[in-house]
Amino acid sequence: MVTNPALVNMFCPEPFPEVEACRVEGRGSQTIVSDLDGTLLRSRSAFPYFMLVAFEAGSALRSILLLLLSPLIWILYNFFSETAGIKMLIFLSCAGLEASVIESVARGVLPKFYLEDMHSVSYRVFLSCGKRYVVTANPRIMVEHFLKEHLDVEAVMGTELQISQSGYATGFVTGLGVLVGANKERAVKKYFSDDLPDVALGDSVSDYPFMALCKEAYFVPSFKVVTPVPRSAYLKPLIFHDGRLVCRPTPLVSLVIVLWAPIGIVLAITRMIVATSTPIWLALPINAMLGVCVRVKGIPPTCGQMSGKRGILFVCSHRTLLDPIFLSIAVRRRVTAVTYSISRLSEVLSPIRTVRLTRCRTTDATTMLKLLEEGDLAVCPEGTTCREPYLLRFSSLFAELTDQIVPVTMNIKMTMFHGTTARGWKGLDPFFFLMNPCPKYEVTFLEQLPPEMTCSSGKSSHDVANYVQRVLAVSLGFQCTDLTRRDKYRVLAGNDGIVPDPNSKVIRMYGDCICDSVERGSSL
């Protein structure tokens, strides 16, 4: 028996009006309950999100297995049983994973992809109601954080994963089972009792039972092309996200990534070997031949010591661990970088000199002043990377060291893999960046800070730091924020980004290439 709702809908007229007919005025006091896939999201398939869990919380082997079995899941879902297809997705992507790891992926990785897949019409109707609820066949653990944090949903009725006493997902479901068809109706009845919602949104025949309970119900057709929700319309801005994959891993995209991965690994190793063995002044043409595009804008300054002065302090926006290296490529000389909590592997493979900071403000200031006496120095005052078009709060220590400050904007473009991580091993960050087919770096040199905007003219170091942040943001077209490294790690990893240093009594912070200081106020 064919149970695919899309096939049924071809022959049966919809009993509910389309969502475009729903007015949004005057619904501030009403309650709405909606399905997720195909309703609030444009895509009817949950496969990409299960693939993200399999890859980010599991392993590459688990994600390859899920991809290989995806045709079987599709046949099972569309021609035999919707419930059985979803159960198979859940088992393959979640079985044996720690529940806390799944929650971490749901918090740091999935929201970006959900937001980019939002159905603009359903989104407008959903937000017009004062109280919002979602009933979905997806595991609640996967969707609850996104729905509550980014859509202000009151409660999520989703499929409940079975979690063992040791905290691991068994791959099976519990409670009402997979919430499709009659199970969705039971879940809505159980939660709302006699006070049923005012409005319901759904996209398939299996949603009809719970939709019929509500005073108004609207159908979201799958055959209409709908634009995604623009970033400016997000209820809450998306600033932080994690995960290695750049694109939503549909079956086709996942297949392309799997086929490219062996080539990308060889290419990344080749690029790294060449980078560590090539003179820095030859790096631009060599990188171009290997597919790494480096675009330099502005006029790179000459070495400060050539004029008998201290070295130049390059203050950079922070996109990846490789920022100081591409800065050196742009100026065609090796620039020393101060680093903090980078892996030993990255330190060994770096073609430029790296010096570790200690987090002690006085000690770090002394170290950096000494380095400036020896030559040019690169710092990234944000303290950690941010993928979205935002700049985090700048530490002010750099402003107290010298008046020869040159702001430098760093921007990147990647097509397959992100070269940063908050949850994974940072030693692989450069490797993943170089695995992209044609990674691009854009380095823009701005004018050196005028004397009247430096500390020598009476400006406070905080004012100088805020000024440099604004200058870089304007050049990049980004927005300034007052957020810090700690805010990033609380969102993505559920901690403050603090780990004990095994080689020292000093407490170290997760970070990349930074010049950090004590927490400060901001005048932004």
Side-chain angles (χ1 to χ4, degrees):
M1 178 179 178
V2 178
T3 60
N4 180 12
L7 298 179
V8 176
N9 293 342
M10 291 173 60
F11 305 102
C12 302
E14 307 302 344
F16 307 106
E18 292 186 5
V19 68
E20 285 85 352
C22 180
R23 61 176 179 80
V24 295
E25 298 80 12
R27 294 192 181 274
S29 61
Q30 293 187 348
T31 299
I32 187 171
V33 60
S34 173
D35 180 39
L36 184 60
D37 296 311
T39 305
L40 287 178
L41 302 180
R42 295 182 300 159
S43 171
R44 297 172 65 94
S45 172
F47 174 86
Y49 308 106
F50 283 100
M51 174 60 78
L52 286 166
V53 171
F55 181 77
E56 302 291 353
S59 64
L61 290 178
R62 182 188 290 265
S63 59
I64 291 172
L65 178 62
L66 180 60
L67 177 63
L68 291 175
L69 293 178
S70 60
L72 176 61
I73 296 171
W74 184 85
I75 293 171
L76 188 64
Y77 180 91
N78 285 278
F79 296 100
F80 292 95
S81 168
E82 188 176 348
T83 298
I86 295 172
K87 281 185 175 180
M88 191 171 180
L89 268 176
I90 292 173
F91 184 83
L92 290 172
S93 58
C94 299
L97 298 180
E98 282 189 75
S100 61
V101 177
I102 299 175
E103 289 174 347
S104 179
V105 171
R107 180 176 60 247
V109 179
L110 297 184
K112 171 185 181 290
F113 295 97
Y114 280 133
L115 284 170
E116 291 176 349
D117 195 26
M118 291 296 295
H119 192 292
S120 55
V121 180
S122 301
Y123 180 82
R124 180 172 54 90
V125 173
F126 192 69
L127 292 190
S128 69
C129 295
K131 290 189 176 181
R132 311 175 193 109
Y133 299 85
V134 169
V135 56
T136 175
N138 287 298
R140 181 180 56 82
I141 193 174
M142 283 176 54
V143 301
E144 187 171 46
H145 175 86
F146 161 70
L147 293 171
K148 288 189 173 182
E149 289 295 319
H150 293 273
L151 296 184
D152 280 350
V153 168
E154 301 284 334
V156 179
M157 292 156 274
T159 300
E160 295 292 339
L161 286 185
Q162 186 181 73
I163 307 297
S164 68
Q165 291 184 348
S166 57
Y168 287 83
T170 64
F172 300 105
V173 299
T174 186
L176 293 175
V178 177
L179 295 194
V180 296
N183 281 349
K184 279 188 177 178
E185 179 187 19
R186 294 189 191 101
V188 172
K189 280 183 175 179
K190 180 179 179 181
Y191 187 87
F192 290 99
S193 188
D194 296 329
D195 189 19
L196 293 169
D198 300 289
V199 185
L201 299 179
D203 69 291
S204 67
V205 172
S206 64
D207 293 332
Y208 288 175
F210 91 84
M211 293 170 69
L213 296 174
C214 304
K215 300 171 186 176
E216 299 178 59
Y218 296 91
F219 186 80
V220 181
S222 60
F223 57 85
K224 291 188 177 181
V225 178
V226 180
T227 57
V229 175
R231 180 185 293 272
S232 59
Y234 289 172
L235 198 61
K236 180 186 294 185
L238 177 71
I239 299 177
F240 301 121
H241 64 86
D242 202 20
R244 290 296 190 185
L245 301 182
V246 173
C247 299
R248 192 165 64 95
T250 62
L252 180 58
V253 170
S254 300
L255 178 61
V256 171
I257 291 173
V258 168
L259 294 177
W260 170 258
I263 302 172
I265 291 171
V266 174
L267 189 57
I269 293 173
T270 303
R271 287 166 171 170
M272 293 179 77
I273 292 174
V274 171
T276 55
S277 59
T278 302
I280 202 73
W281 55 273
L282 274 177
L284 271 175
I286 296 295
N287 275 294
M289 287 189 290
L290 292 174
V292 181
C293 176
V294 184
R295 179 177 294 180
V296 181
K297 296 182 178 180
I299 302 175
T302 56
C303 181
Q305 286 195 323
M306 292 178 65
S307 58
K309 301 178 181 179
R310 282 182 178 175
I312 295 169
L313 182 63
F314 293 100
V315 180
C316 310
S317 57
H318 203 8
R319 305 306 279 177
T320 76
L321 184 65
L322 301 174
D323 291 339
I325 297 175
F326 281 95
L327 171 68
S328 298
I329 292 172
V331 298
R332 302 201 174 191
R333 61 182 183 273
R334 299 183 191 277
V335 178
T336 302
V338 287
T339 64
Y340 200 88
S341 191
I342 65 169
S343 70
R344 291 294 182 187
L345 178 62
S346 299
E347 209 167 21
V348 170
L349 295 177
S350 175
I352 65 173
R353 181 187 178 191
T354 60
V355 178
R356 287 176 175 255
L357 298 181
T358 64
R359 188 67 62 176
C360 174
R361 188 179 180 86
T362 304
T363 303
D364 291 343
T366 302
T367 300
M368 295 168 69
L369 282 171
K370 182 179 179 181
L371 293 173
L372 283 170
E373 294 290 346
E374 299 172 1
D376 298 335
L377 183 65
V379 298
C380 299
E382 288 177 272
T384 189
T385 56
C386 182
R387 296 176 179 176
E388 296 302 308
Y390 298 92
L391 290 183
L392 306 185
R393 192 171 75 188
F394 274 28
S395 167
S396 62
L397 179 57
F398 75 88
E400 303 171 10
L401 305 176
T402 180
D403 294 339
Q404 293 189 82
I405 298 173
V406 176
V408 183
T409 67
M410 296 284 179
N411 215 349
I412 57 174
K413 184 176 181 181
M414 296 166 289
T415 53
M416 282 192 179
F417 305 104
H418 284 294
T420 60
T421 183
R423 297 170 48 256
W425 183 34
K426 291 182 179 296
L428 291 179
D429 285 3
F431 191 80
F432 271 101
F433 176 82
L434 295 173
M435 277 183 65
N436 286 285
C438 295
K440 297 180 180 179
Y441 241 99
E442 187 174 281
V443 184
T444 304
F445 293 93
L446 306 182
E447 293 292 331
Q448 181 174 317
L449 254 62
E452 61 271 17
M453 292 308 302
T454 62
C455 289
S456 61
S457 67
K459 295 284 185 181
S460 72
S461 59
H462 297 163
D463 290 338
V464 175
N466 288 339
Y467 173 77
V468 174
Q469 184 194 33
R470 287 193 293 268
V471 167
L472 291 175
V474 169
S475 177
L476 287 164
F478 288 5
Q479 295 183 42
C480 293
T481 76
D482 200 29
L483 300 173
T484 66
R485 177 205 63 253
R486 183 176 286 107
D487 297 310
K488 171 184 172 178
Y489 281 92
R490 282 177 178 171
V491 170
L492 300 182
N495 58 56
D496 287 344
I498 302 176
V499 291
D501 189 339
N503 302 317
S504 171
K505 294 181 180 180
V506 177
I507 295 297
R508 287 170 29 197
M509 304 276 181
Y510 284 115
D512 302 309
C513 175
I514 70 171
C515 165
D516 203 359
S517 67
V518 296
E519 298 297 336
R520 64 178 179 85
S522 176
S523 61
L524 298 179

